[in-house]
Amino acid sequence: MTQPQLAQFETSIDESQSLTTETSRCYLLLFTIAILASPALSDLVFSKVDRRIYLTSHIVRVSSTIKVENVGPEMVSDVLLAFPDQQAKNMAYLMATPHEGKGKVKNPAVALPVEAANPKGMPPALTFYSVPLPKGLAEGDSFTFDVLAVFSHALRPIPEKITQADIQLVVYHDNAHYLSPYVVKAQSLTVKLPDSRIESYTKLDNTKIHGSEIKYGPYENLPAFSYSPIAVHFESNQPFAVAQELVREIEISHWGNVQVTEHYKLIHGGAQSKGEFSRLNHAFSFLWIMARPNVRGASAFRYLVVNLPPRAHSVYYRYEIGNISTSHLRGDSKKTELLIEPRYPMFGAWRTAFTIGYGLPLQDFLYESEGKRFLNITYSSPMVELVIDTLIVKVVLPEGSSDISVAAPFPVEQWRETKISHLDIDGRPVVVLKKINVVPEHNQYFQTYQSPSLLLLIWLNSTGKRFRRTGDIQACKAARKATDGLLKELSKELKPLLTILQSSPSAAQVLPKVEELVAKERELQENVMVKHSKVVDGYEKKSGACDIENRVAFAATETYSTEGRS
């Protein structure tokens, strides 16, 4: 280590120790107040807590398995979780689920409701959440559940600025004891790091290190709000990819396609790069890193991975000035993987902006429930390990959509807009959903419900395509029957509206366009119905797939020829 690097390292250690002392004072204040506070939650104890902190990427995940036991005479129906305010402000995601246990078949997790709480008599500078239990705990009863807390911007680079040739070192602070308003009978903590290159870490009683893991505990009979601050200073050269803003537009086409367009404003959220950039040195550094991954100069990221749905098509990746960057696309039955390389290597605090677009088959995402059609699609970015400071999702629905509603698995800010496109009269309704501090755990399915006549046809067409894959003829017939009935109702509702337009002199300019649109919609209805009938008839007669396709094509041609003669 050179003299300047040694001085820089000593400075970083001093900063780390200073931060540790600051954290220690914070916990000490909490602990002192907790002792003075009256123990209002003594009926519950955490008989066992197993906590795991994953620092393998720039997104910090803390997973805890907690066994709670009621030792008092009163029935208890919920449990409190506590986090320091400084930690809670970076918490992006919190989920609690019943613990399945080792050796059991893992079923899809049914999350327990988690709500913000404000219990009386608790210490300040803490944020509380309440978790209702599936059933109340009587005296002597216990319940085991898992808690996943995900934090963004929780790793602090020390040093805060590094050169092109330096590795990136970060510091993480936490509590070796599980912070809880209840007594903890037994607990252990495991800190998982990217690799075994650790600059320094807090050493306490019963601390062990095994390769890239630091183990604290087990500790027994810890009082409520017990504290023992720890700091880990380690090397992390994972991509610190942060989208300061991401705008996703999901547009439903009239012709059976979903077009997704994603506009990224990206920044490297790690240690800031200082000094001049040398592409020559970077090239030599890259070759050296490929041969020896543990050497310096690995803090910049050169590519990002995007996991698209399996049947994504028409994929593109470009900048405002054109498609000048490199990308690689490969897929299988489970996903389509897009590997993108920015125009230049991304060092700390460097920024870039680009657009990714792709199409999806509508039949994979359009469903029916209780007489309504709904789009079921994922909310967040498909990019791997991306933190999004502000995410705006715009769902563009077909013109004429009505009774629009949205069901999201987490709170989002919501409003409506209108998008005018070619051949539109009033424009297409747009549902806008906004959320801040988004992590990959938010990439869950949300539903947009609507009931337009055009969407009925799209859904019927999608049902026909799904029928070709599954062969469920009864479901296909039921869809046809439901669509026929709804189209008749819509036709009845349309007649008085057309009558009003025909009798109104002020509507003279609009009326021809409306009549043309109605005629085209009826033509579309007839074509879809003919196609649907031919497919079902072919399967009932057990015709071959090729023969069915020929009959569908012939029917479509015959329809167009008849229309041309008329």
Side-chain angles (χ1 to χ4, degrees):
M1 184 178 287
T2 65
Q3 192 65 29
Q5 290 173 333
L6 179 61
Q8 187 182 51
F9 174 74
E10 290 173 347
T11 301
S12 68
I13 290 296
D14 291 340
E15 291 177 353
S16 176
Q17 290 173 346
S18 174
L19 284 171
T20 305
T21 303
E22 184 180 322
T23 307
S24 178
R25 287 173 181 167
C26 177
Y27 277 110
L28 181 60
L29 175 62
L30 295 175
F31 180 65
T32 304
I33 297 173
I35 291 178
L36 297 176
S38 57
L41 302 173
S42 57
D43 284 350
L44 286 181
V45 298
F46 285 171
S47 54
K48 186 178 181 182
V49 177
D50 181 16
R51 189 160 53 118
R52 300 161 298 281
I53 301 176
Y54 297 94
L55 305 179
T56 51
S57 83
H58 69 122
I59 302 173
V60 175
R61 294 175 173 88
V62 181
S63 175
S64 305
T65 300
I66 304 171
K67 182 178 181 181
V68 60
E69 182 180 355
N70 186 6
V71 296
E74 299 292 332
M75 181 76 71
V76 178
S77 59
D78 56 11
V79 178
L80 287 178
L81 304 176
F83 298 89
D85 286 349
Q86 287 294 102
Q87 190 179 40
K89 72 178 184 180
N90 290 327
M91 185 162 62
Y93 184 81
L94 180 63
M95 182 179 70
T97 55
H99 182 63
E100 292 289 340
K102 294 181 178 180
K104 294 184 178 181
V105 177
K106 296 293 183 180
N107 297 315
V110 179
L112 302 171
V114 179
E115 299 177 352
N118 188 23
K120 296 180 180 179
M122 291 294 101
L126 289 179
T127 300
F128 289 90
Y129 294 90
S130 175
V131 180
L133 299 172
K135 63 178 182 178
L137 294 183
E139 183 176 3
D141 289 346
S142 64
F143 176 71
T144 303
F145 63 104
D146 296 320
V147 176
L148 174 64
V150 184
F151 303 91
S152 64
H153 306 291
L155 300 180
R156 177 173 175 180
I158 293 183
E160 294 183 349
K161 296 182 179 181
I162 59 175
T163 67
Q164 178 181 338
D166 290 335
I167 59 173
Q168 180 174 261
L169 300 174
V170 295
V171 169
Y172 177 74
H173 294 276
D174 212 308
N175 183 5
H177 297 170
Y178 185 76
L179 184 64
S180 167
Y182 313 106
V183 171
V184 180
K185 290 185 177 180
Q187 76 115 56
S188 60
L189 169 64
T190 301
V191 181
K192 176 65 176 175
L193 304 172
D195 50 54
S196 59
R197 296 190 290 278
I198 305 171
E199 296 292 324
S200 65
Y201 65 96
T202 304
K203 298 178 179 65
L204 303 174
D205 292 339
N206 208 1
T207 302
K208 299 177 182 177
I209 184 167
H210 299 281
S212 61
E213 291 186 351
I214 304 173
K215 296 182 180 291
Y216 292 95
Y219 303 113
E220 298 180 348
N221 299 320
L222 301 175
F225 302 106
S226 179
Y227 83 104
S228 184
I230 58 172
V232 184
H233 193 205
F234 61 99
E235 180 179 337
S236 178
N237 292 311
Q238 305 300 315
F240 276 46
V242 178
Q244 294 179 309
E245 183 183 75
L246 168 58
V247 179
R248 298 187 76 217
E249 184 177 88
I250 304 169
E251 184 168 1
I252 302 176
S253 167
H254 293 308
W255 313 112
N257 186 61
V258 177
Q259 181 62 39
V260 182
T261 309
E262 301 174 347
H263 304 280
Y264 291 84
K265 293 181 179 179
L266 206 70
I267 186 173
H268 187 309
Q272 295 184 30
S273 178
K274 67 178 182 179
E276 295 183 356
F277 170 69
S278 169
R279 188 169 285 276
L280 180 61
N281 290 342
H282 172 71
F284 281 117
S285 171
F286 178 72
L287 294 174
W288 189 244
I289 289 167
M290 294 295 290
R292 298 177 60 190
N294 61 335
V295 300
R296 300 181 183 277
S299 61
F301 60 84
R302 298 160 183 82
Y303 63 87
L304 296 165
V305 179
V306 184
N307 288 329
L308 303 176
R311 298 211 291 164
H313 60 84
S314 307
V315 181
Y316 65 87
Y317 158 58
R318 62 172 176 247
Y319 286 76
E320 290 183 354
I321 57 176
N323 189 13
I324 60 172
S325 299
T326 303
S327 62
H328 306 277
L329 185 70
R330 59 174 177 264
D332 54 31
S333 59
K334 295 182 179 179
K335 68 176 184 299
T336 301
E337 184 180 87
L338 175 65
L339 189 71
I340 63 175
E341 298 181 22
R343 292 170 55 197
Y344 40 79
M346 292 289 292
F347 286 92
W350 286 23
R351 304 167 190 268
T352 186
F354 56 86
T355 299
I356 295 175
Y358 50 95
L360 300 171
L362 182 59
Q363 63 265 27
D364 291 357
F365 303 94
L366 190 64
Y367 300 89
E368 181 196 20
S369 175
E370 299 178 356
K372 278 194 171 186
R373 278 75 199 159
F374 65 92
L375 182 73
N376 188 51
I377 199 165
T378 51
Y379 178 75
S380 187
S381 168
M383 191 172 294
V384 174
E385 289 298 275
L386 177 70
V387 169
I388 307 171
D389 291 338
T390 301
L391 172 59
I392 298 174
V393 176
K394 298 184 177 184
V395 183
V396 183
L397 301 171
E399 187 174 30
S401 296
S402 60
D403 299 327
I404 302 169
S405 61
V406 175
F410 37 75
V412 293
E413 185 182 349
Q414 183 180 156
W415 66 89
R416 303 289 172 85
E417 294 178 353
T418 301
K419 179 179 180 179
I420 303 294
S421 183
H422 56 281
L423 300 180
D424 288 345
I425 297 175
D426 295 322
R428 306 181 188 187
V430 181
V431 179
V432 185
L433 309 174
K434 179 181 178 181
K435 187 171 182 59
I436 61 173
N437 199 10
V438 177
V439 291
E441 280 72 12
H442 287 117
N443 201 18
Q444 302 176 31
Y445 284 91
F446 74 102
Q447 295 77 40
T448 305
Y449 296 82
Q450 60 275 333
S451 301
S453 58
L454 275 175
L455 200 61
L456 290 176
L457 298 176
I458 296 171
W459 173 71
L460 181 62
N461 193 35
S462 300
T463 305
K465 291 180 180 179
R466 194 178 296 125
F467 163 64
R468 295 185 202 184
R469 298 200 308 267
T470 63
D472 190 350
I473 196 168
Q474 296 304 322
C476 198
K477 285 184 174 181
R480 169 65 181 270
K481 184 178 180 180
T483 304
D484 284 340
L486 288 170
L487 285 175
K488 286 179 180 179
E489 292 179 8
L490 289 170
S491 180
K492 289 180 181 179
E493 293 176 3
L494 186 62
K495 284 183 179 179
L497 297 176
L498 285 173
T499 302
I500 293 173
L501 287 175
Q502 290 168 352
S503 61
S504 174
S506 60
Q509 294 182 350
V510 178
L511 183 60
K513 294 182 179 180
V514 174
E515 290 177 335
E516 181 183 0
L517 180 64
V518 171
K520 286 184 177 180
E521 185 173 352
R522 285 174 179 166
E523 178 185 336
L524 175 62
Q525 291 176 15
E526 292 174 1
N527 290 341
V528 172
M529 293 302 184
V530 169
K531 183 178 179 181
H532 190 274
S533 299
K534 293 295 181 181
V535 170
V536 173
D537 184 59
Y539 271 89
E540 285 184 326
K541 294 180 179 180
K542 298 182 180 180
S543 302
C546 184
D547 181 49
I548 293 173
E549 294 295 336
N550 290 335
R551 293 180 65 187
V552 169
F554 176 76
T557 305
E558 190 177 42
T559 301
Y560 291 134
S561 299
T562 303
E563 289 169 354
R565 289 193 298 271
S566 61

